[in-house]
């Protein structure tokens, strides 16, 4: 759309998985868009694979499709995640969901239920909290323990990362730091010390703010 008018040529044309909560999940503009014209997308592709890919804007049309992160397992129904944003460090953050109850959110060798952090070309920073090089960990993991990460945004001025995550019982908002563990699938409402509690949660008996130990604050 330009100046309120739908353009005759779409910016991109892709075939996505389109059942339930699948399809095009997230979109982000490169921080240097004015110069490089890069636009990033996160989608559940045919064959049940999640993919982060990039197009270059040329006169309102996307060209030069480039896969940034590919081959991640998608769910067959929903909860694929989809949060996609750039951080103040210039790196790309994306959230992968729990992929239909795989219960792998606590496991560092599985991408599901995690916030990931990569360079804009898809390579992985060696200062990621679980980076182990040739070891078994998924090196792009930045934080873990979330059910369905459908929204990520950095707060201007503070650089805090805020994450929207849902589960079958709740919708929760977290303020996430590197290496944090949101508790899922081990915990959903009350979390013991050492796990990240949501700043705000709705569901499971209403909406509430929470203290640091996960107790409900009415």
């Amino acid at each position: 759309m330009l100046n309120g008018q739908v353009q005759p040529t779409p910016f991109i044309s892709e075939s996505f998985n389109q059942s339930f909560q699948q399809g095009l999940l997230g979109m982000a503009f490169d921080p240097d868009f004015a110069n490089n014209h890069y636009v990033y997308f996160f989608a559940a592709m045919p064959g049940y694979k999640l993919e982060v890919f990039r197009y270059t804007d040329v006169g309102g049309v996307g060209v030069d499709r480039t896969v940034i992160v590919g081959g991640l397992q998608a769910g067959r129904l929903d909860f694929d995640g989809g949060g996609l944003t750039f951080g103040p460090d210039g790196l790309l953050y994306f959230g992968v969901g729990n992929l239909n109850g795989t219960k792998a959110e606590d496991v560092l060798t599985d991408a599901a239920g995690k916030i990931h952090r990569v360079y804009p070309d898809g390579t992985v920073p060696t200062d990621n909290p679980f980076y182990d090089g040739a070891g078994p960990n998924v090196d792009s993991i930045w934080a873990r323990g979330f059910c369905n990460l459908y929204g990520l945004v950095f707060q201007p001025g503070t650089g805090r990362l805020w994450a929207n995550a849902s589960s079958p019982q709740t919708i929760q908002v977290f303020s996430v730091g590197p290496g944090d563990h949101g508790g899922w699938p081990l915990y959903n409402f009350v979390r013991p010390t050492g796990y990240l509690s949501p700043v705000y949660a709705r569901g499971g008996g209403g909406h509430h703010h929470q203290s640091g130990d996960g107790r409900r604050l009415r």
Side-chain angles (χ1 to χ4, degrees):
M1 181 173 290
L2 181 65
N3 297 325
Q5 300 297 315
V6 176
Q7 300 301 292
T9 303
F11 182 74
I12 63 171
S13 180
E14 294 269 350
S15 295
F16 301 124
N17 282 347
Q18 296 180 11
S19 60
F20 294 87
Q21 296 177 16
Q22 299 192 344
L24 182 61
L25 304 171
M27 173 180 168
F29 289 92
D30 193 284
D32 196 30
F33 175 81
N35 293 312
N36 60 32
H37 305 286
Y38 290 160
V39 186
Y40 294 76
F41 299 90
F42 187 22
M45 307 299 295
Y48 299 101
K49 297 295 182 182
L50 296 175
E51 193 170 276
V52 178
F53 53 93
R54 184 185 73 205
Y55 277 89
T56 302
D57 172 40
V58 177
V61 176
V63 302
D64 192 22
R65 187 186 195 278
T66 303
V67 176
I68 304 302
V69 179
L72 297 174
Q73 183 63 46
R76 291 187 176 267
L77 293 176
D78 51 21
F79 280 13
D80 283 311
L84 183 69
T85 190
F86 277 91
D89 54 6
L91 273 63
L92 187 62
Y93 292 72
F94 60 96
V96 176
N98 82 329
L99 311 183
N100 300 318
T102 57
K103 303 300 183 186
E105 295 85 347
D106 190 47
V107 180
L108 293 173
T109 55
D110 194 300
K114 317 291 196 309
I115 297 172
H116 298 262
R117 173 180 180 254
V118 297
Y119 286 110
D121 64 359
T123 56
V124 180
T126 58
D127 63 349
N128 276 355
F130 304 108
Y131 182 93
D132 63 353
N137 290 353
V138 177
D139 291 331
S140 59
I141 295 171
W142 191 77
R144 58 178 165 158
F146 304 94
C147 185
N148 186 29
L149 288 155
Y150 63 90
L152 298 176
V153 64
F154 280 89
Q155 182 177 348
T158 69
R160 296 174 68 186
L161 176 60
W162 293 87
N164 284 104
S166 65
S167 75
Q169 297 84 26
T170 63
I171 296 175
Q172 300 175 334
V173 178
F174 295 85
S175 177
V176 189
D180 279 346
H181 194 315
W184 184 269
L186 303 173
Y187 309 100
N188 195 18
F189 298 105
V190 178
R191 294 160 173 80
T193 301
Y195 292 90
L196 180 68
S197 291
V199 176
Y200 178 84
R202 185 178 184 91
H207 61 277
H208 53 275
H209 295 274
Q210 293 185 313
S211 66
D213 62 3
R215 293 173 298 170
R216 295 186 180 184
L217 302 179
R218 296 292 185 184

